[in-house]
Amino acid sequence: MKFDKIQIRVRYGETDQMGVVYHGNYALYLEMGRIEWLRKLGISYKNMEESGIMLPVVSLCINYKKSAGYDDLINVKTQLKNKPTAKIEFDYEITNEKGEILTTASTILVFIDMKTNRPVKAPQYILDAIGY
């Protein structure tokens, strides 16, 4: 599975005084998409961390095209960009119910050994789960 889609209903607390989603909340939507992408492959962030691997974001790029507002139903498409190495890269597209692109984004995360705090190669179970 190279991509996945989830739906999120915008909550009131995620909006600003103008009734639109506060820009910082988009990073949370991307994280939700990434976590669900992994979960559908049978991989849990929690289990990964319990096994000694953490996956911090080292790069985040977001391009805002249109606003989302309170109670809107948005779709977050998360797509693996290429084969993971010591890093894993994702591209994202957030659309509204009409299919209009609200946001495009990309992230780079790095596999880190929690004992040494150093980068490591992607665990084999992750490569196996995504077909590499």
Side-chain angles (χ1 to χ4, degrees):
M1 179 179 75
K2 301 295 189 266
F3 78 92
D4 184 52
K5 257 189 191 180
I6 62 167
Q7 285 193 321
I8 300 168
R9 175 124 0 234
V10 175
R11 296 168 291 200
Y12 183 78
E14 296 166 347
T15 63
D16 60 19
Q17 273 189 313
M18 295 178 289
V20 299
V21 172
Y22 172 69
H23 72 275
N25 286 318
Y26 285 91
L28 295 172
Y29 299 155
L30 303 180
E31 179 182 37
M32 292 166 69
R34 205 167 46 246
I35 288 171
E36 289 305 314
W37 181 85
L38 285 166
R39 186 184 319 265
K40 288 174 184 169
L41 289 170
I43 301 164
S44 138
Y45 253 59
K46 183 179 179 183
N47 291 344
M48 188 168 39
E49 288 183 349
E50 287 172 352
S51 72
I53 300 291
M54 63 180 169
L55 200 53
V57 174
V58 297
S59 177
L60 167 65
C61 179
I62 301 177
N63 296 297
Y64 302 99
K65 309 288 186 190
K66 292 186 100 170
S67 298
Y70 169 63
D71 206 39
D72 285 355
L73 191 59
I74 59 173
N75 300 293
V76 180
K77 180 181 177 183
T78 304
Q79 184 164 352
L80 182 66
K81 194 168 182 178
N82 46 40
K83 180 181 177 182
T85 56
K87 65 183 178 182
I88 187 167
E89 299 178 63
F90 293 98
D91 286 328
Y92 308 86
E93 188 176 88
I94 298 177
T95 56
N96 62 18
E97 289 179 274
K98 297 177 188 171
E100 298 169 320
I101 296 174
L102 305 178
T103 307
T104 58
S106 62
T107 57
I108 300 173
L109 297 89
V110 176
F111 295 97
I112 300 288
D113 181 311
M114 294 171 75
K115 289 181 185 153
T116 64
N117 213 26
R118 306 280 304 159
V120 294
K121 289 197 293 188
Q124 190 60 48
Y125 67 89
I126 290 178
L127 297 175
D128 291 344
I130 57 179
Y132 283 111

